Each structure stands twice: as structure tokens, then as C-alpha cells.
Amino acid sequence: MSVAHWLRLRLAQGIGPTLAQRLVDFCGNVADAAEASARTLQNIKGIGGAKATSIETALRVAQDDVRRELDLADRLGVTILHRDDPAYPALLARIPDPPSVLWLRGELTDAGCLGVVGSRGCSSYGRTQAERFSSWLAGAGFTIVSGGARGIDAAAHRGALRHPDGRTIAVLGCGVDVAYPKEHTDLYAEIAERGCVLSDYPLGTPPIAQNFPPRNRIISGMSRGVLVIEAAARSGASITARLAATEHGRTVFALPGQVDNPLSHGPHQLIRDGATLVTEPADIPGELGPLPDTPATKPTTLFEAPPEPKPLPTLSEEERAIADVLEVDPADADTLADRGGLPIHVVNRCLTTLTLKGVAERADGNRYKRK
């Protein structure tokens, strides 16, 4: 049963996509790779005796995890795909080191996918444009792929769902049974009825920071092109776009924004570096290149990364919750309390410390915005 064998490789501690594929290539098939002994493993280049023993132990321990994962997926109605499955996304399978296993709720339709990404703390302009572009593109037959986050991601999903025939895919940085953010529980349920919620993380995986860069690779890898709407110059959305161009050979589109909006820096930098400027949804279909036959073998000089920004200050959990819901458009403390799900006195305290730390700034009266 291939899904159990691929799951065993995926759930074994210390085995990532690259090593998993090396084991399969060396052993000849996934079943033998999942059952490989230390004696067999130490014959693989770069795996010595100690590492071979560690891998053998990890594979043995993962056997019980596989049974639990399959049982839980069956109870929750979650589908598990592996690289050998004909239903595995065709474009994603062609990128370097694609995920060996995918979990999904809903029905996967990966034909004509287009990534739409941007900032969580977007402006009303960005949110409106994300919905407008996504609704039109969904009506034109594209499946809108985004990351399920607040801001531009959520607007892109909702825009696609506005069209009667619209389809969308939310790629999560946690298990597909975990709602993050919590207020998107109903949105994910609607997405699962009109597309799917997808992840390369096992069920129950929490949304920790290190999970999101691989999530961005999936958005880019599944999509024929990526549209960026409002993003900082060095942000997850901008990195997704650069990854799409340099590693995956995808077309990158950028929507220009207000020059005094810090979240216009990302799209404007991408346009300067060669991304296609778009102002109307109809600009996109004709600019999409042909489907790539093979992944890019090396980065191009296009889309060179901008200098590293100053690191963000250390934030408490409560400060992070408020920082996550701050937008370019000013909002008062009551609105931020509703968004962040925190008491008003906590929000007021956090706004003071976030202002001192250079994350927030007072816009007018008692309203604050992201700095």
C-alpha cells in the first residue's frame, strides 16, 4: 500500500523530501525504502553507520504513527496523496524536492491554478483588489491558490468563492484539521466545498513559524503564475514571488499600489526587477507563459533578493496577536480587540508597547496602523 509506505517515510523523524527520494531511488521502490535496514542504508552515499541506524529506528517508530494517521484521516474525511498517486498535482511534482505526502480536505483540482498572495495587514484597497482579481480569474476558469491567512489571502479566497463556479485552494502551514487563524474556520469549510484545504503537514500539526516557508513553495509550485498584491519588500509574499520566478519558472505579476504605502514596496520592487505589471484581471491570462516542462535548474539574475531588513523586535504572544491584525488603514482599539480576540485593556497596553517598539504608530486620535 503505497500511501502507508510514503507516510512512513514522511513521519519518520529526520527524513525530509530530499532524503526520502534518495532512499526510494536507491532501494528501487517506496515499499523497500520504508522497510530498509541499517545494513542497506549505510550503502547509500553520505549515510554512515550511525546515521543508518538512526534512520532504521525512525522508520520502525513511524510504523505506529502511520496507523494512527490513516485512522484519523479516515475519521475526519481527509484525503492523503503521495508522489506516486495520479491525483498528485502535476506542476508541483516537477519542482525540486516536492512534498512526498499531501493532506487535503475537499476535492483537489489543480488545473489552471494561479497563486494570489500578499500582506496580512493589508489596506482596504489591497483587500478590494484581491477580491476583484480573484473573482474575475475564478470566473475565467482559474483555481485561486493562496495561504489561508488574514488579509490578502482571505480576500483572494473569498473573491474566488464570490463567483458561482469559482474554485480555490488554501495551502496551510499547519494540519488541515487545525483552523489558523481561528476566525477562518467557516471560510475553510466553505473552501473545502468549492476546492480544498491542503497541507504537507500531518494532522494536528500546530501553526509554527518554520512551517510557512515550505507552504509558500507549494503555492508557487502548484501555480502557473503568482500575483502579488501589497507586500513588504522582504515578506513571505515577495519571497514566494521570487521563488516562483527563479526556481519554478513561473510568471510573476504585481499590482502597483499607493506610493506612500509601505506595502507597495514589495510589488514595486518586483516590477522593477521584471515582474509583469497588471492593473486589470484581464491582463493576466494572455501573459502566462507555457507550462514548464522541467523546473528551473538555477536562479536567474532576475528577481535578486533585496537587502535583509532590520529584524523585528521580540514580541510577547499578546503583542504578536495585535501586530498580526494591524493594517495600513488605521483602526481604533475596539476594532483591534475584535480582530485579535483580546480584552480592550490588553489591546491598549499592547498598542503602547508596539508603538515604542516601532511596530505600530498612532494615525489620528485613538486610531493606530502598522508602521
Side-chain angles (χ1 to χ4, degrees):
M1 185 180 179
S2 289
V3 66
H5 296 132
W6 277 112
L7 261 179
R8 194 170 174 186
L9 292 178
R10 173 62 181 85
L11 299 178
Q13 188 172 1
I15 300 181
T18 302
L19 181 54
Q21 191 60 57
R22 286 179 61 202
L23 297 182
V24 173
D25 291 342
F26 181 85
C27 296
N29 60 73
V30 66
D32 289 344
E35 299 285 350
S37 66
R39 179 174 295 182
T40 297
L41 292 166
Q42 65 184 359
N43 291 320
I44 301 176
K45 185 177 180 180
I47 298 180
K51 187 172 183 180
T53 300
S54 174
I55 293 174
E56 181 187 46
T57 301
L59 287 170
R60 185 172 62 251
V61 170
Q63 196 163 13
D64 290 337
D65 296 333
V66 168
R67 286 191 288 269
R68 286 191 292 268
E69 193 74 13
L70 289 172
D71 288 345
L72 182 56
D74 184 60
R75 291 200 304 272
L76 297 178
V78 171
T79 301
I80 300 177
L81 297 180
H82 54 84
R83 286 188 199 171
D84 294 336
D85 195 314
Y88 190 93
L91 279 183
L92 184 63
R94 300 178 189 176
I95 72 170
D97 301 326
S100 54
V101 177
L102 296 173
W103 286 255
L104 65 97
R105 289 170 49 209
E107 183 179 350
L108 176 64
T109 301
D110 68 318
C113 286
L114 186 83
V116 180
V117 295
S119 174
R120 289 176 298 176
C122 65
S123 68
S124 57
Y125 162 81
R127 186 180 297 106
T128 298
Q129 296 306 316
E131 289 192 9
R132 180 172 78 97
F133 270 75
S134 297
S135 181
W136 190 95
L137 290 163
F142 289 94
T143 298
I144 302 302
V145 184
S146 197
R150 298 182 179 100
I152 296 299
D153 288 10
H157 293 306
R158 291 189 173 107
L161 294 170
R162 268 173 41 193
H163 192 280
D165 300 318
R167 295 183 61 81
T168 185
I169 296 172
V171 184
L172 307 186
C174 55
V176 296
D177 59 330
V178 177
Y180 178 77
K182 289 185 177 180
E183 65 263 27
H184 285 180
T185 300
D186 291 342
L187 175 61
Y188 291 156
E190 191 174 357
I191 290 171
E193 293 178 357
R194 302 269 298 277
C196 73
V197 177
L198 181 148
S199 175
D200 68 330
Y201 293 103
L203 296 168
T205 301
I208 56 179
Q210 67 193 44
N211 292 352
F212 290 92
R215 182 273 305 267
N216 295 339
R217 293 184 72 250
I218 295 175
I219 294 173
S220 168
M222 290 186 67
S223 303
R224 289 191 60 188
V226 173
L227 168 64
V228 179
I229 301 176
E230 289 195 337
R234 190 79 180 187
S235 62
S238 294
I239 292 171
T240 300
R242 296 176 190 282
L243 182 68
T246 60
E247 287 193 24
H248 300 162
R250 310 299 197 247
T251 305
V252 175
F253 304 94
L255 181 73
Q258 297 169 278
V259 294
D260 60 348
N261 180 353
L263 296 179
S264 297
H265 296 172
H268 292 175
Q269 181 68 51
L270 290 170
I271 291 167
R272 284 195 295 270
D273 289 346
T276 299
L277 183 155
V278 294
T279 57
E280 294 294 332
D283 296 338
I284 290 177
E287 294 293 333
L288 281 172
L291 291 174
D293 292 327
T294 57
T297 55
K298 62 180 180 178
T300 66
T301 56
L302 198 63
F303 299 114
E304 293 180 354
E308 290 282 354
K310 294 180 180 179
L312 286 173
T314 301
L315 303 179
S316 69
E317 185 175 345
E318 292 172 341
E319 289 169 344
R320 174 64 64 186
I322 298 304
D324 282 348
V325 297
L326 279 170
E327 299 180 352
V328 173
D329 293 333
D332 58 27
D334 288 330
T335 300
L336 294 173
D338 289 339
R339 290 178 187 169
L342 293 173
I344 189 68
H345 71 277
V346 174
V347 173
N348 285 325
R349 184 179 71 242
C350 289
L351 286 171
T352 300
T353 56
L354 288 170
T355 301
L356 293 173
K357 292 179 178 181
V359 176
E361 65 178 344
R362 188 188 294 270
D364 52 68
N366 291 318
R367 298 197 303 164
Y368 289 80
K369 65 179 183 177
R370 180 178 287 276
K371 188 171 183 179

